[in-house]
Amino acid sequence: EDAEKQLLAASEGGGEASTSDVTSPEKDDSKKSTPLKTKDPEEAASYLTLWNLDRNNTTSTTKNWKFNKNTQSWLLRHMYDFDKVSKSTFATLVDYISQGGEGTRLRVEEEAKRRARRYKDWEKRQQQQEGVEQEEGDAKEEKKEMTNSQDDEHFNQLDDHDKRKEYKRARKVLDALKQ
């Protein structure tokens, strides 16, 4: 029960702007550069843990979990980032997504398919290059094709192991959404 109270306190503690974060019109109309508030990965993990506790708690009639669009958006945006979403949080997130609304499931499924396809295409290119030496011009041309978006640039910067981890997460999402 103490753990539930801590999780509840953590989930209520952040993610939303307070009134002190907003400048009032009578003070100053010019825009001030305020640092962007980033979501704490632990807060997002607490959100999912609390959701899971409430979902599995059949004895209590009081529910502690409350939907938070900002936290859900953050989780969906960072679900493939291993530093921000741990393996255990990701497993709970997959359950959360599979229980969610149709629109969210469709968007997540499309993103997972895109990431899985991207990995398979990369893997195929790696196999084709194995043992075959290509001319320098061909390699430069292929690199240009691969960097067509900021997300693809991020993918190209990952090492082979992390590319595989991203692919595995995408496959887990796709497998869970098929059921």
Side-chain angles (χ1 to χ4, degrees):
E1 189 169 286
D2 288 337
E4 284 185 39
K5 287 180 183 177
Q6 289 174 346
L7 289 171
L8 181 59
S11 68
E12 291 174 347
E16 311 226 350
S18 66
T19 55
S20 63
D21 293 340
V22 179
T23 57
S24 64
E26 59 262 8
K27 284 186 180 177
D28 189 8
D29 287 336
S30 66
K31 292 190 176 216
K32 293 183 180 180
S33 65
T34 57
L36 293 175
K37 184 176 180 184
T38 58
K39 172 102 32 211
D40 179 19
E42 288 301 316
E43 179 187 334
S46 297
Y47 172 82
L48 286 175
T49 304
L50 197 57
W51 168 81
N52 200 28
L53 284 172
D54 270 8
R55 181 176 70 117
N56 294 328
N57 186 0
T58 57
T59 59
S60 176
T61 57
T62 60
K63 297 291 182 186
N64 296 316
W65 178 80
K66 185 178 177 187
F67 175 74
N68 184 324
K69 184 170 181 68
N70 292 334
T71 303
Q72 176 181 300
S73 296
W74 186 91
L75 283 162
L76 295 177
R77 204 170 33 253
H78 297 286
M79 67 191 292
Y80 295 101
D81 188 340
F82 323 110
D83 296 329
K84 293 181 180 174
V85 179
S86 70
K87 192 174 189 177
S88 61
T89 301
F90 180 77
T92 308
L93 178 58
V94 170
D95 288 343
Y96 176 83
I97 292 167
S98 64
Q99 301 292 317
E102 185 70 22
T104 301
R105 284 198 313 269
L106 288 173
R107 282 191 306 277
V108 169
E109 183 179 15
E110 287 304 311
E111 178 67 11
K113 284 178 182 177
R114 186 186 69 76
R115 287 177 184 263
R117 242 182 271 119
R118 179 175 66 185
Y119 175 80
K120 284 300 191 180
D121 291 345
W122 172 83
E123 190 177 49
K124 189 185 295 182
R125 284 191 303 272
Q126 292 299 107
Q127 289 172 351
Q128 288 172 350
Q129 288 178 1
E130 230 171 65
V132 177
E133 224 169 281
Q134 293 192 0
E135 293 179 26
E136 196 174 287
D138 291 342
K140 286 181 182 176
E141 185 61 37
E142 183 174 340
K143 188 167 185 164
K144 283 181 187 175
E145 289 174 16
M146 289 173 57
T147 58
N148 60 357
S149 75
Q150 188 176 13
D151 189 42
D152 287 340
E153 283 182 35
H154 171 73
F155 179 77
N156 291 332
Q157 291 173 356
L158 294 175
D159 64 19
D160 294 358
H161 179 71
D162 286 345
K163 287 176 182 170
R164 176 93 178 134
K165 282 170 48 176
E166 180 180 291
Y167 169 72
K168 284 179 142 184
R169 283 193 174 194
R171 288 300 319 157
K172 285 181 183 177
V173 168
L174 292 170
D175 291 344
L177 293 177
K178 282 182 185 176
Q179 297 174 0

